[in-house]
Structure formats: C-alpha cells, structure tokens
Amino acid sequence: MSENTERVLLHVKFLNDRIEPTIESVRTGTSLRVVARTALDGRVTVAGSVSHRVHRMRASGKVSRHWQTVRAFSLFRTQAGLVVLRVLDKAIRKNSTQHLFVGGEHLLAQLLRELGEQTLLEAVCRDAWDTLDQNVRAVEGPAFEGPGMRAQMCLLLQDLQGEALRLIGDLPVASERFPLLKQISARGLGHSGQMYFLDATAYKAVAENVFGKSRYRRPLAREIERLAEHTLPRLDRPDDLFHDMSVLNWFRLFRGLVPIDWIVDSMRGTVNYTGMVLSPAELVQARALFLRVAQPILGRILAEPMPQSTRIIKDTVKNLGNRDITWRDLNLLPDLIKARGQRRIRGAQDLETLVRSMPVIRVESRSYARSNRAVGIVIHEVDALHMMHSYNEQIARLESLELPRATWELWNDPEFRKSADEFLAEHRRELMTAQQRAYEARVARDRQRRLSVEKERAAWAADVAARLDGLRVGEYRLVVAHDPETLARWGCQLNNCIASYALELGLDVFVAVVDDSGRVRLNIEINHEVGVVQFLGTNNRDAVKELEEASAQRVLDAITGIGLPVSEDALGLRHLARPAQHVAVL
C-alpha cells in the first residue's frame, strides 16, 4: 500500500437553525463522526469524535459559528500486537488510555454508547427523550423518523462496534501475552508497570526490560519476582487479586544514574503496595530532575522509604509548573546544588525545598496566548453590552431627550461615552437622598475621629520614644525603631516577626535591648492602650531565658519607671515582677 487511506464508518449530524445566537454563545448542532484510517504498514486506526456547533453573536451584531470537539477517541493496534483505546475529554481536559483484551469488548461498547447519548442530547425533545425535536433536522446519516430514536442509534453503534473490531483484528489474550502475571489491569497498563512483563517468560527478561541488558544482575530478577508474587486485593472486589508493579517505574528513574547495587539494596527494603504513583508526565519530569542531581543525593533518596520519597518527588515535579503558564528552569539546579553544598541536600525533602526556592519563569505559549485574547475579547464585549443595556434602561426611565438611545456603534464612540457618563453622574448626584448624604457625613465624621485618635497616638509614641531612646540600663542600652528597615533588621537577628508591625510604626513604640557589642538581645512592643505587650528574645523566648533574671528585671523596671504600664497578657515576662499598680498611659 503506497499511501494512507481514510473511510467514514459513521457520520451523524443534526442542526437547529431556529435557535437565535446570543452574546454568550449557544449550541445549534451536534455531530458524531467515526472514520477508519489505514496506515502504510496496513494497520487500521478507528477514530471518532463528538462535536458541537457553537453559534455566537458579536456585540456589533455580526454572527459567527464554529465546530468545537467535545470528546474524541481512537482505537488502534500497536506494533507489539496490543489493542489500545484512547479517549480525550476536552471538557475536563483529561486524556485516558486503556488496553483491550479478550473479554473487554464492553469497554468499547460503553464508550460508543456514551458518545451516542452525547450526540442525541442536543437533538431530541426535552419532553420525549426518544423523539427527534421538530426544530432539529438531520443533515448527515440515516433518516431518523418518529419515536424510537435511541433504539435506532443503538443499532448503528452496535454495527459500528462490530465493524471496528473486525478492522482492528482479534483482541489479544491477557494470559498469553503476560504469562508471569496472574491478573492484568487493562486500564493504565503501562502506567501500572505491567508492560515490562509483556511476552516475558522469565524474570530475567523483566529485569532487562526495566534496567537494560547491560545492567542485568541476578539479584534484580529475584527482587522483581518477590514484588510480583505479592498481589493486592481490589477495593470493590476483595476476592479478586491484581498486580500493581508501578514500583518498577520508581526504580527505573534511577537507571544509569546510580550503581545498580544501590538499586538492589533499595528494592530489598521495599514491599509492593498501592500508593501514590507518578503519572507518565510526572515520570518524564522526575527523570529530567534526576538527570541534574548529583549521584550522592540520588543515593540518599533511594535509601529513604519508597512511599515517603515517592510522594515528595511527586510534589516536587508539580512545583516545576506548567510550560504553558509558569515554569522553573531545571538547568539552574546543578549550580544551586553546588552553591548550597551536596552534603546539605540530605534527601527528597531538601531537594523539594531547593526546587521551591528556584525562580518562577512566566511563559505563555502561542495557543495559550491566542486563547486568552479570545476569552478577553468575549468578556469585554459581554461587559460592555450589559453596560449599554443598563444605560438605555436608565435613559428610558428618565424620559430624557438630552441623550439618544445607544447602539453598539454609538456606545463605542469615546465622546458619547464621556457625555453619557457625565449625564448619569449628574443625575445620580441630583437623586441622592438625605439618608445617603447623612451616611456620607457619618463616614466623614468617623474618618476625622480616627485621624484625631491616630494623631494622639503619634504624639504619645513620639514622647515615649524620646524618653526611652538611648537609655542605659546597666550594660545594656535601649534603642527605639524609627523606620521599617530597623524592624526588618531586628527580625532577622532575633528570628521573629517584628518586621510585620511596620504599619504600626509611629503609633506604637518598638524598643530593642542592645548589649555593648551591638547585638540585639530583646524586642519590646509598647502599645498606647495597654502598655508593654511583648518582651521577647531570640525565637520569641522569654526575657529570662535570653538575659539573666536580674538584668531583665532592671530593663522592665526602667520602662515602667517612666509611667508605662504592663498588659496583663504581656508575653515573655515569666518569672519577672510586674509593678503593683498600673500607672496611667502617658
């Protein structure tokens, strides 16, 4: 055969031209098309899709329509003789792949039944789900007349299923293609790691499929045999056992990157389990990650328990981002590891932390940018049209002759929009009620009251800061913060969150206790209403743990000695004597 050929197996199309287009768009048609494509090597692929005709009216009145694929599938035979059914659901952006064996014909029948239901959903009457809508006309396919439309569609899909299986050929027998496994999971066969057992009659062949012939060791085959003999019960059918060999995908990530003996040692400490496995896309990203990681770090990751390291690496590759939106450049990773030091990357958790610290690059593919522009235009037109309708309703209610009723062309005129906005703003000011004016006056009074309180607090803070700044208490000196940079420096030195109080600077007083060497030992917060509220050292420790009890008491006495009280809920004053009576705040 010299060229590819394509033959239509089934094409059903319905259209409804009586539905008026809207600015948000409506569906006015549906189509189910299934074709058989023959490749140069003679293999046949059966592919089909369900599409909806989207009918939309632009805000300017221009009508546009296009066909949008909702769901698609393909059924084909691989070069290894396996039959694969791939389904793409664009509504939820999900692509699923499963293998068909003898006895799995119902999976194809179920898919075709769902496609038929999805096609009829837009074509049948809502009152009678088995009759063609009177406004819908059949454009392609057999003539659907009278009731029994579902039965006619089912007959077509049954014939289609038989024709598809005839073109694809006989389905393989699972026990013949995977003699070492007791049970086969058709869904996600490659994802579950069972593909390594294809046509393998000895575990040596499986080990070579996983790690390569040059890296084969007899202990590898023994460990794979041990893992394969451990079957797991299904959750829905406990009596039915199955193999989950996705554990092999994890060890295959280290192929060629670490000595094979390291992998054998890690496999000996691993049991087969149903855990959080990596998807095919995540396996590709994890391999790209490991290629840029030094061998000693990979050895530490292998030495960790597999369930723990698998979950961490899964989260790590998710943090790499999406190449259509944001991405982290893995080429920077070797330099970051070198700067951090290999010994400080003690396992998968430290590697994830390092990846999270990498800069995020903003990227945008052409398709993504084109989609964003289209969505932005639609949203802009919908919002503008709603604003125009609102304007016309207000003009009609006012019965004003000053401005005309807006059309889309007139609404896009900047001069008209400016005059319309000024007219409506003036009208709203004229219709402002006494209650609205009273509300605005109340808001203004509250604002003035708040400003006066802040002015009083600022005067109080300036007075207290002037009395405490530079005050000597034994071998320590009190320093008052006057800018956010000082708070940030104190927070870094004492590892606390005092930098987050920058908005209160100038209204409350923040003091540092500094020794003769210039080292900050304590941070103190003094509030206008309650006085001293925090008296903490490094890592928010109590003052006594940071200083000696006598020194901390002298500092507290110096602060309360100028008339400042201490809050009952103050932090960091454990084991310190507070003043017997609270003196009024200055």
Side-chain angles (χ1 to χ4, degrees):
M1 188 173 295
S2 60
E3 60 181 5
N4 298 328
T5 60
E6 180 176 297
R7 180 167 62 92
V8 178
L9 301 181
L10 176 65
H11 190 190
V12 180
K13 182 191 292 185
F14 302 100
L15 297 180
N16 187 351
D17 296 325
R18 296 192 179 186
I19 298 179
E20 295 294 333
T22 63
I23 189 69
E24 289 85 3
S25 76
V26 293
R27 293 195 296 265
T28 60
T30 180
S31 171
L32 171 61
R33 189 171 186 269
V34 182
V35 299
R37 301 188 182 97
T38 304
L40 297 178
D41 57 0
R43 287 185 295 153
V44 178
T45 298
V46 178
S49 63
V50 174
S51 304
H52 289 161
R53 188 176 75 164
V54 180
H55 209 164
R56 180 175 180 269
M57 180 182 68
R58 300 289 295 269
S60 59
K62 182 180 178 181
V63 177
S64 63
R65 60 175 65 93
H66 67 278
W67 285 92
Q68 182 180 29
T69 301
V70 180
R71 202 174 185 190
F73 80 95
S74 61
L75 179 69
F76 58 93
R77 182 179 292 274
T78 65
Q79 293 183 350
L82 298 179
V83 178
V84 177
L85 177 62
R86 184 169 295 160
V87 182
L88 174 61
D89 196 336
K90 290 195 173 183
I92 58 177
R93 297 184 179 182
K94 181 179 180 181
N95 187 357
S96 60
T97 302
Q98 54 187 342
H99 292 71
L100 299 185
F101 297 98
V102 172
E105 296 84 354
H106 66 281
L107 298 175
L108 177 60
Q110 178 183 355
L111 172 64
L112 294 177
R113 184 168 59 253
E114 293 174 356
L115 296 179
E117 292 289 343
Q118 206 165 6
T119 305
L120 295 179
L121 187 62
E122 304 295 330
V124 299
C125 293
R126 297 301 184 267
D127 299 331
W129 286 89
D130 208 19
T131 305
L132 190 66
D133 194 317
Q134 60 180 356
N135 297 325
V136 175
R137 57 189 178 93
V139 181
E140 297 284 348
F144 293 91
E145 299 179 355
M149 186 174 178
R150 280 191 170 184
Q152 300 177 48
M153 180 64 78
C154 287
L155 291 177
L156 288 176
L157 296 178
Q158 289 177 5
D159 295 340
L160 176 62
Q161 176 187 350
E163 180 67 13
L165 293 177
R166 186 188 67 81
L167 293 173
I168 295 297
D170 296 334
L171 297 181
V173 180
S175 59
E176 294 178 357
R177 302 305 303 270
F178 298 88
L180 293 180
L181 298 180
K182 300 177 182 178
Q183 296 289 339
I184 294 296
S185 174
R187 185 180 297 273
L189 183 62
H191 188 197
S192 63
Q194 298 174 350
M195 187 60 71
Y196 303 122
F197 291 81
L198 177 64
D199 297 331
T201 57
Y203 287 99
K204 175 183 178 181
V206 179
E208 293 176 349
N209 292 336
V210 179
F211 299 102
K213 293 184 178 180
S214 61
R215 299 178 182 88
Y216 167 73
R217 302 290 189 276
R218 189 173 297 176
L220 281 177
R222 289 198 298 264
E223 292 303 321
I224 294 176
E225 181 179 4
R226 179 181 63 84
L227 294 175
E229 290 179 352
H230 180 68
T231 55
L232 303 169
R234 298 185 184 274
L235 296 178
D236 52 348
R237 300 189 302 272
D239 296 336
D240 191 3
L241 302 179
F242 77 104
H243 295 267
D244 184 2
M245 297 304 298
S246 57
V247 62
L248 297 181
N249 290 327
W250 168 253
F251 291 112
R252 197 172 192 272
L253 290 174
F254 299 88
R255 172 183 173 179
L257 302 180
V258 299
I260 200 68
D261 295 335
W262 293 9
I263 299 178
V264 173
D265 293 339
S266 180
M267 293 180 69
R268 286 170 178 167
T270 302
V271 295
N272 201 351
Y273 77 109
T274 303
M276 186 181 299
V277 297
L278 279 73
S279 65
E282 291 170 347
L283 288 172
V284 173
Q285 291 186 349
R287 178 67 178 182
L289 176 68
F290 285 175
L291 285 173
R292 293 163 175 82
V293 176
Q295 189 180 90
I297 300 176
L298 295 179
R300 299 183 195 115
I301 296 176
L302 262 177
E304 294 177 342
M306 181 198 164
Q308 170 187 331
S309 54
T310 305
R311 287 192 295 267
I312 295 175
I313 295 301
K314 186 181 184 70
D315 294 338
T316 303
V317 297
K318 285 182 178 180
N319 289 327
L320 294 178
N322 187 334
R323 289 188 179 272
D324 288 335
I325 307 174
T326 57
W327 185 249
R328 300 180 193 269
D329 189 3
L330 283 177
N331 294 324
L332 302 176
L333 190 58
D335 294 335
L336 290 177
I337 293 177
K338 184 177 180 181
R340 179 69 62 89
Q342 293 184 11
R343 293 184 178 181
R344 300 186 65 181
I345 311 299
R346 296 164 296 182
Q349 188 64 62
D350 291 340
L351 181 61
E352 181 191 13
T353 303
L354 187 62
V355 170
R356 286 179 180 270
S357 66
M358 295 173 61
V360 178
I361 303 174
R362 179 76 181 182
V363 295
E364 191 174 48
S365 64
R366 291 184 178 180
S367 61
Y368 192 80
R370 184 168 58 251
S371 176
N372 280 347
R373 285 195 298 269
V375 171
I377 291 173
V378 172
I379 293 176
H380 172 73
E381 289 189 354
V382 170
D383 293 342
L385 198 62
H386 289 167
M387 292 172 59
M388 186 186 73
H389 291 331
S390 176
Y391 163 79
N392 287 334
E393 291 176 0
Q394 295 187 55
I395 292 297
R397 187 168 55 251
L398 296 175
E399 299 180 356
S400 174
L401 300 178
E402 297 184 23
L403 290 175
R405 182 179 178 84
T407 61
W408 180 249
E409 291 76 11
L410 190 60
W411 187 253
N412 287 327
D413 184 5
E415 295 296 331
F416 175 80
R417 290 284 295 274
K418 181 179 179 181
S419 60
D421 292 340
E422 292 176 353
F423 173 79
L424 295 178
E426 181 65 26
H427 177 67
R428 283 192 293 269
R429 283 193 294 268
E430 293 176 357
L431 295 181
M432 185 179 295
T433 63
Q435 182 179 3
Q436 291 172 322
R437 289 194 295 270
Y439 170 76
E440 291 188 355
R442 185 168 63 253
V443 171
R445 288 195 303 271
D446 292 343
R447 180 174 179 273
Q448 291 297 329
R449 188 182 303 110
R450 187 171 62 254
L451 291 176
S452 64
V453 172
E454 291 183 356
K455 184 177 180 181
E456 178 185 353
R457 290 180 61 186
W460 169 86
D463 180 60
V464 173
R467 301 178 66 178
L468 290 180
D469 198 8
L471 181 64
R472 298 288 304 188
V473 182
E475 66 271 25
Y476 300 104
R477 178 171 52 91
L478 303 185
V479 179
V480 177
H482 298 284
D483 51 67
E485 289 76 11
T486 303
L487 292 182
R489 187 173 68 256
W490 291 354
C492 292
Q493 293 178 6
L494 297 188
N495 194 26
N496 58 26
C497 60
I498 193 172
S500 62
Y501 292 87
L503 295 178
E504 300 298 324
L505 199 63
L507 302 177
D508 290 343
V509 179
F510 298 93
V511 182
V513 178
V514 183
D515 58 18
D516 292 336
S517 64
R519 177 187 173 190
V520 178
R521 305 298 299 276
L522 295 176
N523 280 158
I524 305 170
E525 179 189 358
I526 306 174
N527 184 267
H528 175 262
E529 285 77 15
V530 296
V532 178
V533 294
Q534 296 194 59
F535 203 80
L536 301 170
T538 305
N539 297 322
N540 289 332
R541 294 189 300 181
D542 290 343
V544 173
K545 292 182 179 180
E546 185 67 30
L547 305 180
E548 295 180 356
E549 183 176 353
S551 299
Q553 186 66 53
R554 284 196 299 270
V555 173
L556 180 61
D557 293 342
I559 294 176
T560 58
I562 66 171
L564 293 175
V566 178
S567 172
E568 296 180 356
D569 301 324
L571 302 176
L573 298 180
R574 189 180 302 176
H575 307 302
L576 294 180
R578 308 189 185 193
Q581 296 180 351
H582 292 301
V583 183
V585 180
L586 295 178

